[in-house]
Amino acid sequence: MDLSPFDTDNSVSCRLASQIPDVCRTEDCCLGIDEAGRGPVLGPMVYGICFCPVSKKQELKESKVADSKTLTEAERENLFRALDEARSYIGWALQILSPNTISTSMLQRTKYNLNALSHDTAIGLVQYALDSGVQLKEVFVDTVGPAEKYEEKLSKLFPGIEVTVRPKADSLFPVVSAASICAKVARDRIVKGWKFAEDLEDVDADYGSGYPSDPKTKAWLLKYLDPVFGYPQFVRFSWSTAQTLMDSKGVTVHWDDEDEDGEKAAQRQNNKSMLAYFSASAGGNEQNPTRQTHRFFSERRLKSLDTL
Amino acid sequence: MATKKKRTPTVQHGSWVAIAADSTIDTQNHDSDPAFVRLRNPSTDAASLYMLSSGDVQLFEVKAFEEDFHSWFVGQTVQRDGRLLFVTPMDPLYLIMPYLIKYGKEEKFQPVDQVVMDEEFPACSRLLSCTRSLASLHHIAEEKAVGQQTFYRYSPEKTMNWLKKKVERTVGVLKARSVSVGGGVKSTTYIRVKSESGDEDYRRYAHGLISEYVSEDLSKELLKHLQLPELASPKETEPPSKKRKLSDKPVEAEEDYTKFNSADFTRKPPKKMTAAQKSLAKGDKTGMKTMSSFFSGQAQRLEGALHHFGQMDRVPLQPQSAARGPTLVLLLLLRGCGRRPLLLGVVRGTRNPQHPVGVEVVIGRAGGH
Amino acid sequence: MSCNTRVTRVQVSSVGEAQRVPVHLMPCEIEHNGPAQVSKYLTATTKDCKLEKAVSFRGRGLKGQEISCPQGYTGLVLKEINKSSSDQEDRTLRVSSVFDKLTYWNLETPPNSDDSIVMAMDWPELAEAIHGPVED
C-alpha cells in the first residue's frame, strides 16, 4: 500500500487502489464496503472496498479475514499482506477522507453531515469499481445507520446489483472483513506517520487511539491546543470534544452564519430585511430622516468615522 | 456541538489597519507630525474624522471599510477590529465652504481667517494652512485685495460652476473605471444584467457622490444646475418601472447562461454573445420592452436585497431554457440567510410571437437540509 | 465638546523602523488582540491554486486572494503608544508595521471582483476625482 499520494497532501480526500485483477473484469464479482476511523477525533476516516469473483468467496473465507475488529494491528498487517498476495483475484480501493475534509464538510455553511459524506464516499467507490470494469453482482455493506433505507438507496443507484446492508457486516461477510482490513491498515499507518502540514516542531506522536474517551488522546488535545488556531489539521474540528476544548481554553471566534438566522443578523447589523425590498417602501430610507450615504459607499462598506 | 458564545462588546484596543496615501507619511521637511482631527462634516453638520498632514499642508479624509465578522492577522498577531481605514486626500474647500456660506449672507467681503472659525471645532482654522485652500478659494468666493490683505465673499454662482466641474471630473473616472451606476443586477455572479447606463445615470451618480461633501440645500441646487430632474422620493409608491429612468433597450443577459459550470466566468465575463443572444438582439423586440421594464424595476429591488445579503455562491445549474424554450432566464440565488441557499427568483420570458411575454417568478428555498 | 479639541498624532519617524508584514483579513471575528502563530498554522497550510488561495481556519474552509494596495498608497498598521485613560489628552500613534498587499479570505466562497473589499479599493481613485484640483 503506497500512501505517498495522500501524504503529499493530507488536507484533501484521496483515492488509493490496487490493480484491478483481470478475472474481476470477466467473472461475476462480489464487493464489500467498510470504513475505519469513524469515531476518532484525530486522523482520517478511511473507506475501503474489496472485491473478488463470486467463485472465490470460499478461498477468501479460508484466508481467515473474518472478524477483523477483533484482530490486533499486527494480525491485520499480516492479513493485508495475504490479500495483497492474492492480487490475481482480489482487488481493493480506498477513499481517504482527511480530517480537514471531514471538518470543513461538517462545518460547511450548507451542512454536509458525516452520514451523507459516508454514503457518498461508499457510492463513489462502488462507481469506481464499476467504471474500472469490475463485473459487480453482489455488494455487501457495513453500516452504522438504519440499514433498510441505505440498502434501498444503493439498490436504486445500482440496478442489477444485489445490495445487502447489515450492521456488523464485517463479521458476517468475509469480503466486508477484507475491506475493513484494508481500511483499518491504511488508517493506522496514516495516523502513525501523520505529517503535520503546520510548521510545528516535534509533535508528540503519543496520541493514543484517537477516540475522545482515550485519556492519551485527551491529554494530547490539551497539549496541542493553540488559543487562536485551535488545532492542526490532524484534528477533526467538527467533533464536540475539540469544540468544547477550544471554547473553554481558546479564543472565541464568531462566523457570520452562526446561531442567529439571516433575518436577525440583518437586524443587528441595522440592515433591511430582505422582505423589505419587496414591500412598497423598497429602497426607502428607514434609518435616519437625515441624509443617506450614497450607494457607492454603502456598496463598498465604507463609512465616515467620527472618532478613531 | 458546544453552545455558541455570545459576542462580547468590542473595546478599542489601540490598533488600526489603514491604507493611506503616501503623502500622509511623507517624511520630507516635516516640522510636525500628521494628526487625526475632528472637523465639522459639511454634509451632516456633525463631527467627522479627518487628517491634517505634517505642517497642515494637506487635508485627508478618513473612511472605514467595515464588514461584520472580520478580524486581521497582522504579522504574527491577531487584531480583533477588522476595519480597514482609508486615508485619502481631500479638497479642503468642501470643509471651508460652509463657513463662507454662513457669513456670505452678510454680503460683506471678509478676511477668511475671521470666517473659518468654529468654537466647537477649533482645528478648522488649520484648514487655511493647506496649500490648496487659499489658492482655490476663488472657485467659491469673490476676492478683493486691499493692500496686503485679501477679502472674500461667498459666491453661489462660482460655487455651482466649481461643483459642476467636480461632477464632470467624477463622471470621467466613473466611466473609466466602469463603476456600475445603473440599476442592473450587479451583485450576482451568475448573470450580469446589462443595463446600459446613459450619461444622465452617470451624472446623477456623480452628483450623489459630490453631495456627500455639501449641505442638502447645495445638493439640491446643484441638481438644478446640472439640469437633472429631481427624483421622486423612493418612499412614494410607484410602479417599479417608473421609479428610475433606465435605458429602454431590452435587458440582455451578458452571459451565456448555458455555461453556468464554467469556473472562470465570474472573473472575466465573456463579452461575446452566443448565437441565441445574437438572434435575440437582432430579432423582434416587441413585447420585450414590457419585460425589460419589468426586469429593471425588479432588478433594482433584488439588487438591494442581494447587496445586503452578500455572497453569491456558484451552484451548478441546469438551464431550463432549452426545454421550455424561453429566451430569457434570470436566476438569482441568495446565500447567507442562515446556512441554506435561497432561490430568490426565477424569471422567464418567452419570445413566442403568439405569447410575447410569459414571466414566471418563483420565490422559495432550494437545497439544504 | 472637549473631545473635538483632542488630536491624535502619528509619529511619522516610526515608519522607518516599521517592518513589512503579511496581513490577512479573516472572514470571522476573533475575539482577541495579541500574538498568534500565523505563519506556523495559516501560512504553512495555505494552498496556492491558479486563481485563488485555500486554507482552513478552525475547521472551516476559506478561499482567498492577494490584493495590492492602490497605486500611491501604503498599508499602515497604527498602534497607540502610552494609551491615556482620559478622553481629553492628545494621543500618539506610531506606525508599527507596513504592507503593500493584503490577503483577504472568504468563508467558502471563491474570491471575485464583486467582493466588497475589492470594490472598496476603487475608493482612492474616485476620491482623487472628487477631491483633486479643478481647473479654472
Side-chain angles (χ1 to χ4, degrees):
Chain A
M1 193 186 291
D2 176 18
L3 293 170
S4 59
F6 179 71
D7 284 341
T8 54
D9 183 359
N10 62 20
S11 72
V12 295
S13 173
C14 172
R15 179 185 294 145
L16 300 178
S18 71
Q19 292 277 336
I20 306 285
D22 288 339
V23 65
C24 294
R25 290 201 171 97
T26 51
E27 278 188 41
D28 285 355
C29 287
C30 60
L31 178 147
I33 310 177
D34 198 9
E35 69 194 1
R38 189 188 178 86
V41 61
L42 302 178
M45 180 159 109
V46 181
Y47 250 85
I49 57 168
C50 205
F51 47 90
C52 68
V54 176
S55 60
K56 299 279 188 185
K57 263 187 181 171
Q58 194 52 37
E59 276 160 276
L60 193 64
K61 204 169 190 173
E62 280 157 15
S63 69
K64 296 202 178 71
V65 288
D67 263 350
S68 69
K69 295 267 154 77
T70 61
L71 303 169
T72 65
E73 197 175 330
E75 286 169 321
R76 280 196 299 266
E77 287 282 348
N78 283 335
L79 282 167
F80 179 71
R81 211 166 299 136
L83 288 171
D84 197 39
E85 275 159 18
R87 68 175 79 93
S88 62
Y89 63 95
I90 295 178
W92 54 265
L94 301 170
Q95 189 72 39
I96 303 165
L97 301 175
S98 70
N100 185 54
T101 304
I102 296 169
S103 304
T104 52
S105 300
M106 289 174 72
L107 299 175
Q108 213 170 284
R109 271 185 200 277
T110 321
K111 274 195 180 172
Y112 188 22
N113 68 39
L114 199 61
N115 262 338
L117 187 61
S118 302
H119 287 192
D120 292 348
T121 307
I123 290 161
L125 282 170
V126 174
Q127 194 59 52
Y128 163 76
L130 287 171
D131 293 346
S132 310
V134 177
Q135 297 299 304
L136 286 186
K137 285 291 164 305
E138 302 167 5
V139 167
F140 301 92
V141 189
D142 191 284
T143 186
V144 288
E148 299 79 17
K149 264 194 171 173
Y150 193 15
E151 192 172 288
E152 200 184 307
K153 182 177 173 181
L154 291 173
S155 303
K156 254 190 206 150
L157 274 168
F158 302 109
I161 298 178
E162 194 188 321
V163 181
T164 310
V165 179
R166 290 276 185 285
K168 302 205 167 63
D170 59 333
S171 58
L172 300 171
F173 311 103
V175 74
V176 178
S177 305
S180 155
I181 284 163
C182 296
K184 193 87 171 86
V185 164
R187 163 152 166 110
D188 285 347
R189 290 189 191 176
I190 290 166
V191 171
K192 223 181 220 174
W194 185 264
K195 289 180 183 61
F196 288 86
E198 295 75 14
D199 194 6
L200 305 172
E201 285 148 42
D202 301 325
V203 183
D204 191 351
D206 194 16
Y207 18 70
S209 63
Y211 278 92
S213 54
D214 187 334
K216 273 190 175 171
T217 303
K218 260 198 173 152
W220 191 90
L221 285 173
L222 270 171
K223 186 175 172 186
Y224 286 97
L225 175 76
D226 179 274
V228 175
F229 292 90
Y231 288 107
Q233 291 177 353
F234 183 47
V235 175
R236 300 182 191 171
F237 284 78
S238 44
W239 257 236
S240 63
T241 319
Q243 291 279 352
T244 310
L245 281 169
M246 285 188 296
D247 276 353
S248 62
K249 304 223 182 322
V251 164
T252 309
V253 173
H254 298 286
W255 301 89
D256 66 0
D257 60 353
E258 72 188 22
D259 274 344
E260 37 186 18
D261 55 38
E263 204 74 4
K264 261 195 210 155
Q267 276 169 15
R268 190 173 41 69
Q269 288 178 52
N270 207 6
N271 280 341
K272 283 165 247 181
S273 87
M274 185 182 62
L275 292 174
Y277 284 93
F278 294 97
S279 66
S281 67
N285 188 344
E286 287 168 9
Q287 295 150 1
N288 205 305
T290 58
R291 303 172 65 186
Q292 214 179 3
T293 309
H294 191 265
R295 74 180 164 106
F296 176 86
F297 298 110
S298 55
E299 281 172 4
R300 284 162 184 77
R301 304 288 191 271
L302 288 166
K303 53 179 165 194
S304 293
L305 294 177
D306 61 358
T307 186
L308 196 60
Chain B
M1 206 173 290
T3 44
K4 293 280 185 223
K5 288 188 188 171
K6 286 247 166 68
R7 289 171 86 184
T8 60
T10 326
V11 186
Q12 182 45 57
H13 178 72
S15 181
W16 299 265
V17 178
I19 284 184
D22 290 341
S23 48
T24 58
I25 48 165
D26 187 3
T27 46
Q28 283 177 351
N29 60 54
H30 60 278
D31 41 1
S32 63
D33 279 325
F36 289 99
V37 291
R38 278 153 66 98
L39 296 166
R40 194 183 292 280
N41 183 321
S43 158
T44 62
D45 206 36
S48 281
L49 195 67
Y50 301 92
M51 184 188 249
L52 281 163
S53 71
S54 152
D56 297 344
V57 293
Q58 213 184 336
L59 174 71
F60 299 92
E61 184 180 11
V62 183
K63 282 200 183 287
F65 168 78
E66 183 174 10
E67 275 188 300
D68 211 5
F69 296 102
H70 277 79
S71 292
W72 287 100
F73 282 139
V74 176
Q76 304 305 308
T77 63
V78 55
Q79 178 188 303
R80 179 179 179 180
D81 178 356
R83 291 180 302 173
L84 174 62
L85 307 185
F86 280 88
V87 186
T88 54
M90 176 163 184
D91 190 336
L93 272 196
Y94 290 118
L95 297 191
I96 292 171
M97 191 162 52
Y99 298 102
L100 281 174
I101 292 172
K102 198 170 147 197
Y103 288 93
K105 293 188 179 108
E106 295 174 23
E107 301 271 317
K108 271 195 301 191
F109 281 87
Q110 286 178 318
V112 71
D113 55 352
Q114 282 175 32
V115 169
V116 186
M117 283 194 300
D118 197 325
E119 270 183 24
E120 218 181 307
F121 299 96
C124 79
S125 58
R126 291 167 64 180
L127 289 168
L128 297 173
S129 306
C130 293
T131 324
R132 284 174 58 190
S133 297
L134 296 182
S136 60
L137 268 176
H138 65 276
H139 285 302
I140 60 167
E142 287 160 59
E143 294 170 302
K144 215 182 240 179
V146 179
Q148 291 289 77
Q149 224 180 348
T150 311
F151 295 82
Y152 297 89
R153 186 173 69 185
Y154 174 67
S155 160
E157 300 77 29
K158 283 183 143 197
T159 300
M160 279 304 132
N161 288 331
W162 174 67
L163 289 174
K164 191 180 175 188
K165 282 179 189 166
K166 289 275 192 190
V167 168
E168 284 159 3
R169 246 180 95 100
T170 306
V171 164
V173 174
L174 288 171
K175 283 184 176 171
R177 287 214 57 130
S178 14
V179 173
S180 157
V181 299
V185 179
K186 173 198 54 52
S187 312
T188 161
T189 54
Y190 300 102
I191 297 178
R192 281 169 196 259
V193 176
K194 187 164 71 184
S195 63
E196 272 177 35
S197 299
D199 205 49
E200 188 186 316
D201 289 326
Y202 278 106
R203 293 205 302 150
R204 194 177 290 283
Y205 195 95
H207 166 266
L209 281 169
I210 300 297
S211 296
E212 292 272 320
Y213 298 93
V214 300
S215 70
E216 196 162 6
D217 289 345
L218 215 51
S219 164
K220 281 184 182 156
E221 274 173 55
L222 178 60
L223 201 62
K224 274 186 220 147
H225 188 71
L226 295 168
Q227 293 173 313
L228 290 169
E230 223 175 299
L231 287 180
S233 153
K235 276 202 166 165
E236 287 167 33
T237 317
E238 257 186 279
S241 55
K242 284 185 188 162
K243 218 177 244 181
R244 201 172 231 276
K245 194 184 167 291
L246 277 172
S247 128
D248 52 6
K249 286 171 196 155
V251 181
E252 285 163 11
E254 206 175 310
E255 312 293 349
D256 176 2
Y257 40 77
T258 60
K259 285 184 185 151
F260 276 115
N261 291 320
S262 154
D264 289 347
F265 101 101
T266 55
R267 273 166 228 285
K268 288 174 195 146
K271 288 281 177 274
K272 278 184 191 162
M273 282 202 284
T274 62
Q277 285 168 344
K278 276 182 196 152
S279 76
L280 170 61
K282 274 185 268 169
D284 172 32
K285 282 171 186 161
T286 48
M288 289 296 287
K289 279 182 186 172
T290 341
M291 197 163 71
S292 83
S293 57
F294 170 81
F295 269 93
S296 59
Q298 214 61 12
Q300 274 171 60
R301 288 179 174 200
L302 292 174
E303 182 191 15
L306 292 169
H307 163 56
H308 279 283
F309 280 84
Q311 296 161 326
M312 298 300 119
D313 220 4
R314 238 176 266 151
V315 176
L317 291 170
Q318 291 307 313
Q320 315 254 305
S321 52
R324 299 226 186 172
T327 52
L328 237 162
V329 178
L330 175 63
L331 278 157
L332 295 154
L333 278 151
L334 253 188
R335 261 302 267 283
C337 312
R339 285 191 180 166
R340 41 178 117 168
L342 189 79
L343 178 62
L344 190 72
V346 179
V347 186
R348 290 199 186 87
T350 69
R351 234 182 79 226
N352 181 331
Q354 257 72 46
H355 310 280
V357 184
V359 176
E360 208 183 303
V361 184
V362 183
I363 299 169
R365 280 176 192 276
H369 295 280
Chain C
M1 277 230 173
S2 55
C3 59
N4 288 340
T5 62
R6 179 171 146 182
V7 298
T8 307
R9 287 189 189 82
V10 180
Q11 286 185 347
V12 171
S13 57
S14 58
V15 174
E17 298 137 46
Q19 270 203 315
R20 205 157 284 272
V21 294
V23 293
H24 297 265
L25 183 56
M26 301 296 286
C28 54
E29 184 175 5
I30 304 166
E31 283 194 7
H32 184 61
N33 292 290
Q37 308 200 63
V38 179
S39 48
K40 284 187 177 177
Y41 282 87
L42 196 81
T43 320
T45 57
T46 298
K47 298 236 177 64
D48 268 296
C49 305
K50 270 168 276 163
L51 296 160
E52 65 195 40
K53 289 163 179 277
V55 82
S56 42
F57 177 66
R58 294 264 182 135
R60 308 212 60 180
L62 311 184
K63 298 216 169 116
Q65 71 175 352
E66 203 170 73
I67 48 174
S68 298
C69 290
Q71 189 110 51
Y73 281 74
T74 306
L76 305 174
V77 182
L78 304 170
K79 284 231 184 322
E80 186 161 5
I81 43 180
N82 304 324
K83 214 176 167 187
S84 78
S85 49
S86 152
D87 65 350
Q88 296 184 22
E89 272 174 65
D90 286 354
R91 303 199 286 177
T92 310
L93 312 182
R94 71 183 168 88
V95 179
S96 66
S97 2
V98 293
F99 58 94
D100 48 28
K101 52 191 195 288
L102 63 91
T103 306
Y104 76 91
W105 297 97
N106 291 336
L107 175 57
E108 293 163 16
T109 317
N112 81 54
S113 57
D114 286 340
D115 288 328
S116 38
I117 182 74
V118 177
M119 287 171 65
M121 293 293 169
D122 288 345
W123 171 229
E125 201 173 326
L126 250 292
E128 162 55 29
I130 296 167
H131 298 288
V134 158
E135 281 165 39
D136 289 300

